[in-house]
Structure formats: C-alpha cells, structure tokens
Amino acid sequence: MGGMPGFGALVLAGLLVGCGGGKDKEATPAPAAPAAPVAAGELTPFEVANGIGPMKAEVTVGPVNHETAEQGEKLFEAKCTACHKLDQRYVGPSLGGVTTRRTPAYVMNMVLNPQEMTERHPVAKDLLGEFMTQMPNLLLTQEEARQVLEYLRQHDAKAGAR
C-alpha cells in the first residue's frame, strides 16, 4: 500500500501530459467563456439614461403630435394591451406616466430592443425581476415605436392636466 500515493501521482502526471499539460507542448488557450451580463458601470452614460438599442441619440420631442399619437393608440391597443395597461399593474408594468420617468429614447429602445435591454440595462433587469415576464420583441419599426411613444406622451399630458 505504501506505493499507492506514488502511483496516483504517476497517473495524474500522465493525464496532464496527455491533456496538453506537459511543458513540451505549447498550451492551447481555453475557449473564451460566454460574456457575463454587463454591469451598469459598463454602459455608456447615454445608455444608462436612454437605454440600449437602435436609438443612439436623444429623441427630440416637441408638442404632442395628435395624428401620430392616434396611430400609436391603434398600435398600443393591438400590440401592447395584452401585457400593459395605462393605469394599473398587469402582466407588465403600468405605462401611465412612463414618459415622465424615462427618456423618449429609453421608451423607444425598450420597445425596439427588449431582450438586450433586460439582459444589460439595470432598470429593465429590475423590471424583469419584478414582473418575471420577458417583454417580447414586437418587431415594430422605429416609426411605429415613435407612434407608440407619442400615444404615451399624449396620455401622460392629459393625465397631468387633470
């Protein structure tokens, strides 16, 4: 039995050499691990304020465009109301007041890029943790996302006027 520890060391040395652990061979780097989720500190200041997605610059808004908001209301009714209400928590968060809490670019990036937002943006991650439901990508165009934004802005303007 006294020879067993030596035998174990010999087997270990053989495994190391056989698996590329010998000093004679050039070591092959291990494949890179998948990227870990990005911390808020790894986002640019723009991304922290405006989200991650196709909107790479601030979205300028003026007075609510009622015609655009009307189109946005139709889209909201068709695509968003299964999960969102304006005045109550539902499957997803209430969207009433969202334009007073988030920038226009953030709202549009969340609509256009929900998967990456919930993977990388701390606010969206927190919402996913709270509601436990991933927002699907509704495949809206930037123009359609802007219409939904105008509808939400119109709603928030009216709610603030009460």
Side-chain angles (χ1 to χ4, degrees), residues 72-115:
E73 181 176 15
K74 291 174 186 171
L75 282 167
F76 186 85
E77 292 294 326
K79 302 249 183 191
C80 307
T81 58
C83 296
H84 295 285
K85 303 299 177 202
L86 293 173
D87 57 357
Q88 66 183 3
R89 179 186 174 110
Y90 199 53
V91 175
S94 168
L95 293 182
V98 71
T99 63
T100 63
R101 297 186 307 271
R102 309 279 182 260
T103 67
Y106 182 99
V107 172
M108 290 180 68
N109 278 329
M110 190 66 204
V111 168
L112 295 168
N113 192 31
Q115 183 72 37

Coordinates of all heavy atoms in Angstrom, one line a residue, residues 72-115:
G72 N -50.4 55.7 -32.9 CA -49.8 55.0 -31.7 C -50.8 54.3 -30.8 O -50.5 53.2 -30.3
E73 N -51.9 54.9 -30.7 CA -53.0 54.3 -29.9 C -53.5 53.0 -30.5 O -53.7 52.0 -29.8 CB -54.2 55.3 -29.7 CG -55.3 54.7 -28.8 CD -56.4 55.7 -28.6 OE1 -56.5 56.7 -29.3 OE2 -57.2 55.4 -27.7
K74 N -53.6 53.0 -31.8 CA -54.0 51.8 -32.5 C -53.0 50.7 -32.4 O -53.4 49.5 -32.1 CB -54.2 52.1 -34.0 CG -55.4 53.0 -34.3 CD -55.5 53.3 -35.8 CE -56.6 54.3 -36.0 NZ -56.6 54.9 -37.4
L75 N -51.7 51.0 -32.5 CA -50.7 50.0 -32.3 C -50.7 49.5 -30.8 O -50.5 48.3 -30.6 CB -49.3 50.7 -32.6 CG -49.0 50.8 -34.1 CD1 -47.7 51.7 -34.3 CD2 -48.7 49.4 -34.6
F76 N -50.8 50.5 -29.9 CA -50.8 50.1 -28.5 C -51.9 49.1 -28.2 O -51.7 48.1 -27.5 CB -51.0 51.4 -27.6 CG -50.8 51.1 -26.1 CD1 -49.6 51.0 -25.5 CD2 -51.9 50.9 -25.3 CE1 -49.4 50.8 -24.2 CE2 -51.8 50.6 -24.0 CZ -50.6 50.5 -23.4
E77 N -53.1 49.4 -28.7 CA -54.3 48.5 -28.5 C -54.0 47.2 -29.1 O -54.4 46.1 -28.5 CB -55.5 49.2 -29.1 CG -56.0 50.4 -28.4 CD -56.5 50.1 -26.9 OE1 -57.1 49.0 -26.7 OE2 -56.3 51.0 -26.1
A78 N -53.4 47.1 -30.3 CA -53.2 45.9 -31.0 C -52.0 45.0 -30.4 O -52.1 43.8 -30.4 CB -53.0 46.1 -32.5
K79 N -51.0 45.7 -30.0 CA -49.7 45.0 -29.7 C -49.4 45.0 -28.2 O -48.6 44.1 -27.7 CB -48.6 45.6 -30.4 CG -48.8 45.6 -31.9 CD -47.8 44.7 -32.6 CE -47.9 44.7 -34.1 NZ -47.2 43.6 -34.7
C80 N -49.9 46.0 -27.4 CA -49.3 46.2 -26.1 C -50.3 45.8 -24.9 O -49.9 45.5 -23.8 CB -48.9 47.6 -25.9 SG -47.7 48.2 -27.1
T81 N -51.6 45.9 -25.2 CA -52.6 45.8 -24.1 C -52.7 44.4 -23.5 O -53.3 44.2 -22.5 CB -54.0 46.3 -24.5 OG1 -54.4 45.6 -25.7 CG2 -53.9 47.8 -24.8
A82 N -52.2 43.4 -24.2 CA -52.2 42.0 -23.7 C -51.3 42.0 -22.4 O -51.6 41.1 -21.5 CB -51.7 41.0 -24.7
C83 N -50.4 42.9 -22.3 CA -49.5 42.9 -21.1 C -49.4 44.2 -20.3 O -49.0 44.2 -19.2 CB -48.0 42.6 -21.6 SG -47.9 40.9 -22.3
H84 N -49.8 45.3 -21.0 CA -49.7 46.6 -20.3 C -51.1 47.3 -20.3 O -51.8 47.3 -21.2 CB -48.7 47.5 -21.1 CG -47.3 47.0 -21.0 ND1 -46.5 47.1 -19.9 CD2 -46.6 46.4 -22.0 CE1 -45.3 46.6 -20.2 NE2 -45.3 46.2 -21.4
K85 N -51.3 48.0 -19.2 CA -52.4 48.9 -19.0 C -51.8 50.3 -18.7 O -50.6 50.4 -18.3 CB -53.3 48.5 -17.9 CG -53.9 47.1 -18.1 CD -54.7 46.9 -19.3 CE -55.2 45.5 -19.5 NZ -55.6 45.2 -20.9
L86 N -52.5 51.3 -18.9 CA -52.0 52.6 -18.6 C -52.1 53.0 -17.1 O -51.4 53.9 -16.6 CB -52.7 53.7 -19.5 CG -52.4 53.5 -21.0 CD1 -53.2 54.5 -21.8 CD2 -50.9 53.8 -21.3
D87 N -53.1 52.5 -16.5 CA -53.4 52.9 -15.1 C -53.3 51.8 -14.0 O -53.7 52.0 -12.9 CB -54.8 53.5 -15.1 CG -55.9 52.6 -15.6 OD1 -55.6 51.5 -16.0 OD2 -57.1 53.0 -15.5
Q88 N -52.8 50.7 -14.4 CA -52.7 49.6 -13.4 C -51.6 48.6 -13.8 O -51.2 48.5 -15.0 CB -54.0 48.9 -13.2 CG -54.4 48.1 -14.5 CD -55.8 47.4 -14.3 OE1 -56.4 47.6 -13.3 NE2 -56.2 46.7 -15.3
R89 N -51.0 48.0 -12.8 CA -50.1 46.9 -13.0 C -50.8 45.7 -13.6 O -52.0 45.4 -13.3 CB -49.6 46.5 -11.6 CG -48.6 45.4 -11.6 CD -48.3 45.0 -10.2 NE -47.4 43.8 -10.2 CZ -46.2 43.8 -9.8 NH1 -45.6 44.9 -9.4 NH2 -45.5 42.7 -9.9
Y90 N -50.2 45.1 -14.5 CA -50.8 44.0 -15.2 C -49.8 42.9 -15.4 O -49.0 42.7 -14.5 CB -51.4 44.5 -16.6 CG -52.5 43.6 -17.2 CD1 -53.6 43.2 -16.5 CD2 -52.4 43.2 -18.5 CE1 -54.6 42.4 -17.0 CE2 -53.3 42.4 -19.1 CZ -54.4 42.0 -18.4 OH -55.4 41.2 -18.9
V91 N -49.7 42.2 -16.5 CA -48.6 41.3 -16.8 C -47.2 42.0 -16.7 O -46.3 41.6 -16.1 CB -48.7 40.6 -18.1 CG1 -47.6 39.7 -18.4 CG2 -50.1 39.8 -18.1
G92 N -47.2 43.2 -17.3 CA -46.1 44.1 -17.2 C -46.4 45.4 -16.5 O -47.6 45.5 -16.0
P93 N -45.5 46.3 -16.3 CA -45.7 47.5 -15.5 C -46.8 48.4 -16.2 O -46.9 48.4 -17.4 CB -44.4 48.2 -15.5 CG -43.6 47.6 -16.6 CD -44.1 46.2 -16.8
S94 N -47.4 49.2 -15.4 CA -48.3 50.2 -15.9 C -47.5 51.2 -16.7 O -46.4 51.6 -16.3 CB -49.0 51.0 -14.7 OG -49.6 52.1 -15.1
L95 N -48.0 51.6 -17.8 CA -47.3 52.5 -18.7 C -47.7 54.0 -18.5 O -47.2 54.9 -19.1 CB -47.3 52.1 -20.1 CG -46.6 50.8 -20.4 CD1 -46.6 50.4 -21.9 CD2 -45.1 50.8 -19.9
G96 N -48.8 54.2 -17.7 CA -49.2 55.6 -17.4 C -48.0 56.3 -16.7 O -47.5 55.8 -15.7
G97 N -47.6 57.4 -17.2 CA -46.5 58.2 -16.6 C -45.1 57.8 -17.0 O -44.2 58.4 -16.5
V98 N -45.1 56.8 -17.9 CA -43.7 56.3 -18.3 C -42.9 57.4 -18.9 O -41.7 57.5 -18.8 CB -43.8 55.1 -19.2 CG1 -44.3 55.4 -20.5 CG2 -42.5 54.4 -19.2
T99 N -43.6 58.3 -19.6 CA -42.8 59.4 -20.3 C -42.3 60.5 -19.4 O -41.5 61.3 -19.7 CB -43.6 60.0 -21.5 OG1 -44.7 60.6 -21.0 CG2 -44.0 58.9 -22.5
T100 N -42.8 60.4 -18.1 CA -42.2 61.3 -17.1 C -41.1 60.7 -16.3 O -40.3 61.3 -15.7 CB -43.3 61.8 -16.1 OG1 -43.8 60.7 -15.4 CG2 -44.5 62.5 -16.9
R101 N -41.0 59.3 -16.4 CA -40.0 58.6 -15.7 C -38.8 58.2 -16.6 O -37.7 58.0 -16.1 CB -40.6 57.3 -15.1 CG -41.6 57.5 -14.1 CD -42.1 56.1 -13.4 NE -42.5 55.1 -14.4 CZ -43.7 54.9 -14.8 NH1 -44.7 55.7 -14.5 NH2 -44.0 53.9 -15.6
R102 N -39.0 58.1 -17.9 CA -38.0 57.6 -18.8 C -37.9 58.6 -20.0 O -38.8 59.3 -20.4 CB -38.3 56.3 -19.4 CG -38.7 55.2 -18.4 CD -37.4 54.6 -17.7 NE -37.8 53.6 -16.8 CZ -37.9 53.7 -15.5 NH1 -37.5 54.9 -15.0 NH2 -38.3 52.7 -14.7
T103 N -36.7 58.6 -20.6 CA -36.5 59.5 -21.8 C -37.2 58.9 -23.0 O -37.5 57.7 -23.0 CB -35.0 59.6 -22.1 OG1 -34.5 58.4 -22.6 CG2 -34.2 60.1 -20.9
P104 N -37.5 59.7 -24.0 CA -38.1 59.2 -25.2 C -37.3 58.1 -25.8 O -37.8 57.1 -26.3 CB -38.2 60.4 -26.1 CG -38.3 61.6 -25.1 CD -37.4 61.2 -24.0
A105 N -35.9 58.3 -25.9 CA -35.1 57.2 -26.5 C -35.1 55.9 -25.7 O -35.1 54.9 -26.2 CB -33.6 57.7 -26.6
Y106 N -35.2 56.0 -24.3 CA -35.3 54.8 -23.5 C -36.6 54.1 -23.8 O -36.6 52.9 -24.0 CB -35.3 55.2 -22.0 CG -35.4 54.0 -21.1 CD1 -34.3 53.5 -20.5 CD2 -36.6 53.3 -20.9 CE1 -34.3 52.3 -19.7 CE2 -36.7 52.2 -20.1 CZ -35.5 51.7 -19.5 OH -35.6 50.6 -18.7
V107 N -37.7 54.8 -23.9 CA -39.0 54.1 -24.2 C -38.9 53.4 -25.6 O -39.3 52.3 -25.7 CB -40.2 55.1 -24.2 CG1 -41.5 54.5 -24.7 CG2 -40.4 55.7 -22.8
M108 N -38.4 54.1 -26.6 CA -38.3 53.5 -27.9 C -37.3 52.3 -27.9 O -37.6 51.3 -28.5 CB -37.9 54.6 -28.9 CG -39.0 55.6 -29.2 SD -38.5 56.8 -30.4 CE -38.4 55.9 -31.9
N109 N -36.2 52.5 -27.2 CA -35.2 51.3 -27.2 C -35.8 50.1 -26.5 O -35.6 49.0 -26.9 CB -33.9 51.7 -26.5 CG -33.0 52.4 -27.5 OD1 -33.0 52.2 -28.7 ND2 -32.2 53.4 -27.0
M110 N -36.6 50.4 -25.4 CA -37.3 49.2 -24.8 C -38.3 48.6 -25.7 O -38.4 47.3 -25.7 CB -38.0 49.7 -23.5 CG -38.5 48.6 -22.6 SD -37.1 47.7 -21.9 CE -38.0 46.1 -21.5
V111 N -39.0 49.3 -26.5 CA -40.0 48.8 -27.4 C -39.2 48.0 -28.5 O -39.7 46.9 -29.0 CB -40.9 49.9 -28.0 CG1 -41.7 49.4 -29.2 CG2 -41.8 50.5 -26.9
L112 N -38.1 48.6 -29.0 CA -37.4 48.0 -30.2 C -36.4 46.9 -29.8 O -36.1 46.1 -30.7 CB -36.7 49.2 -30.9 CG -37.7 50.2 -31.5 CD1 -36.9 51.4 -32.0 CD2 -38.5 49.6 -32.7
N113 N -35.9 46.9 -28.6 CA -34.8 46.0 -28.2 C -35.0 45.4 -26.8 O -34.1 45.5 -26.0 CB -33.5 46.8 -28.3 CG -32.3 45.9 -28.3 OD1 -32.3 44.8 -28.7 ND2 -31.2 46.5 -27.7
P114 N -36.2 44.8 -26.6 CA -36.5 44.4 -25.2 C -35.5 43.3 -24.6 O -35.2 43.3 -23.5 CB -37.9 43.9 -25.2 CG -38.1 43.5 -26.7 CD -37.3 44.5 -27.5
Q115 N -35.1 42.4 -25.5 CA -34.2 41.3 -25.0 C -32.9 41.8 -24.4 O -32.5 41.5 -23.3 CB -34.0 40.3 -26.1 CG -33.2 39.1 -25.7 CD -33.9 38.1 -24.8 OE1 -35.1 37.9 -25.0 NE2 -33.3 37.6 -23.8

